[in-house]
């Protein structure tokens, strides 16, 4: 049983406290106390209140952060005796079938998610985990992503070069393009190359080669087949059709969605941000085989 305390008693606390209470009622954790910037409080919802400056004196396994700026809380944590590695955003307790032990397994593994599009960044944000991949807020072409998978160590040794700009019709703006030898990185969520490069090199230092997961999506069967053939450990590719390939997962979406320009990549990004019941994200990232919550067709 995990001993936890909750940091914050405002909006996020009110929104997610019932999710925490369910975990408590089922015996998975016990709430030691709550803390916040408030003063002259003794109890909150039956929980003992401890001022922040005294929180370092208690024993705990997990600090459940219920303040809006999670990153700011992580920066403040050491100053008030809280271990940042034990901090968990309260929103993750709303994940269906949430398992705190599985969550900490993922968190402590330092997993590096390498995705062809924004899937990795959305997943890290959904789970409140640090970016341990340099390929965030950007995308690759299908062919370049497979090149990266095949020669991952090599491309990480290459210096990033500026390769011009491209235009995003949806965002109505230009964005920088980088290059690693013969593959191109489309930094469509950055305003300039300098910011993109700074983030790329900073996050590249966090890569965990012992725990890599490659994620892609395609509607092209030849791309799917080549992806499946790459020997790179744990990997998954989302496709909009039935497939017998080991690494492929079918995503259902309607003709109306297709006609409105919704792609399989967009649909897969919904899974990364918790908007699709298909996936047990924590089971998948822990390397378990049975991570699909929806199985079979009637």
């Amino acid at each position: 049983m995990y001993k936890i305390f909750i940091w914050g008693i405002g909006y996020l606390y009110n929104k997610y406290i019932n999710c925490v209470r369910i975990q408590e009622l089922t015996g998975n954790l016990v709430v030691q106390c709550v803390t916040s910037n408030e003063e002259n409080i003794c109890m909150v919802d039956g929980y003992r209140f401890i001022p922040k400056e005294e929180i370092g004196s208690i024993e705990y396994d997990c600090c459940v952060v219920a303040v809006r700026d999670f990153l700011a809380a992580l920066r403040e944590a050491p100053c008030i005796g809280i271990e940042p590695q034990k901090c968990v955003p309260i929103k993750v307790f709303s994940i269906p079938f949430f398992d705190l032990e599985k969550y900490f397994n993922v968190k402590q593994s330092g997993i590096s998610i390498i995705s062809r599009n924004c899937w990795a960044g959305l997943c890290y944000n959904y789970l409140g985990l640090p970016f341990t991949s340099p390929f965030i807020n950007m995308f690759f072409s299908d062919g370049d992503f497979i090149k990266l998978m095949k020669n991952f160590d090599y491309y990480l040794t290459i210096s990033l070069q500026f390769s011009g700009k491209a235009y995003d019709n949806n965002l109505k703006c230009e964005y920088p393009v980088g290059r690693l030898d013969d593959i191109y990185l489309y930094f469509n969520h950055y305003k300039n190359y300098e910011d993109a490069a700074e983030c790329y090199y900073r996050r590249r230092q966090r890569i965990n080669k012992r725990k890599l997961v490659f994620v892609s999506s395609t509607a092209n069967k030849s791309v799917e087949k080549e992806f499946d053939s790459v020997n790179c450990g744990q990997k998954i590719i989302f496709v909009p059709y039935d497939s017998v390939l080991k690494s492929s997962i079918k995503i259902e979406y309607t003709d109306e969605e297709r006609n409105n320009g919704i792609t399989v990549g967009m649909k897969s990004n919904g899974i990364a941000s918790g908007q699709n019941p298909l996936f047990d994200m924590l089971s998948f990232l822990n390397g378990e085989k049975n991570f699909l919550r929806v199985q079979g067709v009637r």
Side-chain angles (χ1 to χ4, degrees):
M1 179 184 293
Y2 285 86
K3 297 178 181 178
I4 78 164
F5 72 90
I6 303 173
W7 177 1
I9 55 174
Y11 171 78
L12 291 179
Y13 173 91
N14 288 326
K15 183 175 182 179
Y16 295 112
I17 186 59
N18 283 346
C19 298
V20 177
R21 290 293 291 268
I22 289 171
Q23 295 286 324
E24 186 176 29
L25 291 171
T26 52
N28 296 322
L29 58 84
V30 58
V31 180
Q32 303 277 80
C33 62
V34 298
T35 190
S36 75
N37 293 327
E38 277 73 12
E39 299 178 353
N40 302 318
I41 297 175
C42 293
M43 303 284 286
V44 177
D45 295 331
Y47 299 130
R48 180 169 56 118
F49 182 89
I50 294 182
K52 276 203 311 185
E53 59 270 17
E54 298 177 16
I55 205 70
S57 64
I58 70 166
E59 293 184 9
Y60 66 95
D61 301 308
C62 173
C63 168
V64 176
V65 180
V67 300
R68 288 181 181 270
D69 193 335
F70 181 67
L71 293 179
L74 290 182
R75 292 191 293 270
E76 183 185 357
C79 303
I80 54 176
I82 298 173
E83 300 175 59
Q85 66 270 25
K86 292 185 177 181
C87 292
V88 174
I90 195 171
K91 67 177 183 178
V92 302
F93 283 82
S94 67
I95 295 174
F97 298 98
F98 179 73
D99 185 309
L100 190 55
E101 183 175 1
K102 284 186 179 183
Y103 180 86
F104 269 114
N105 285 341
V106 173
K107 183 180 177 70
Q108 292 166 3
S109 74
I111 189 169
S112 290
I113 306 169
I114 314 299
S115 64
R116 190 187 68 80
N117 57 12
C118 297
W119 202 95
L122 291 167
C123 182
Y124 282 128
N125 280 320
Y126 177 52
L127 297 177
L129 299 175
F131 294 153
T132 50
S133 166
F135 307 110
I136 300 293
N137 295 329
M138 53 147 291
F139 69 92
F140 296 94
S141 69
D142 285 326
D144 281 356
F145 188 66
I146 289 173
K147 286 181 184 178
L148 177 72
M149 293 172 64
K150 289 180 175 179
N151 295 285
F152 189 70
D153 289 345
Y154 165 72
Y155 284 111
L156 288 184
T157 67
I158 302 299
S159 296
L160 184 67
Q161 301 294 322
F162 178 59
S163 188
K165 295 182 177 181
Y167 186 79
D168 189 305
N169 288 320
N170 294 319
L171 299 175
K172 306 298 181 186
C173 65
E174 286 188 327
Y175 60 85
V177 179
R179 180 170 58 85
L180 297 174
D181 193 357
D182 60 342
I183 67 174
Y184 292 87
L185 286 64
Y186 296 93
F187 293 109
N188 58 325
H189 291 288
Y190 294 88
K191 292 183 178 180
N192 58 69
Y193 173 75
E194 290 73 22
D195 288 346
E198 189 277 328
C199 290
Y200 172 82
Y201 283 116
R202 172 162 44 86
R203 293 165 182 164
R204 190 174 74 172
Q205 295 177 352
R206 305 173 188 166
I207 282 276
N208 181 5
K209 293 182 180 179
R210 294 172 298 177
K211 186 64 175 177
L212 293 173
V213 176
F214 292 89
V215 181
S216 189
S217 57
T218 188
N220 186 314
K221 291 188 177 182
S222 62
V223 170
E224 175 202 12
K225 185 176 181 180
E226 188 170 8
F227 177 95
D228 188 72
S229 69
V230 179
N231 183 16
C232 63
Q234 190 177 356
K235 62 183 186 292
I236 193 169
I237 186 167
F238 297 99
V239 297
Y241 44 74
D242 292 320
S243 176
V244 297
L245 296 182
K246 184 177 180 180
S247 58
S248 299
I249 295 293
K250 180 183 179 181
I251 289 185
E252 298 282 357
Y253 66 111
T254 66
D255 290 338
E256 182 180 0
E257 288 176 320
R258 290 185 180 89
N259 294 335
N260 288 331
I262 304 299
T263 66
V264 65
M266 295 176 185
K267 293 289 288 188
S268 72
N269 284 345
I271 290 175
S273 53
Q275 300 171 24
N276 191 304
L278 175 70
F279 232 64
D280 181 336
M281 185 69 74
L282 294 178
S283 293
F284 169 67
L285 295 179
N286 271 299
E288 298 176 25
K289 293 182 179 180
N290 297 321
F291 55 81
L292 293 181
R293 294 178 55 211
V294 178
Q295 298 179 3
V297 178
R298 293 183 63 184

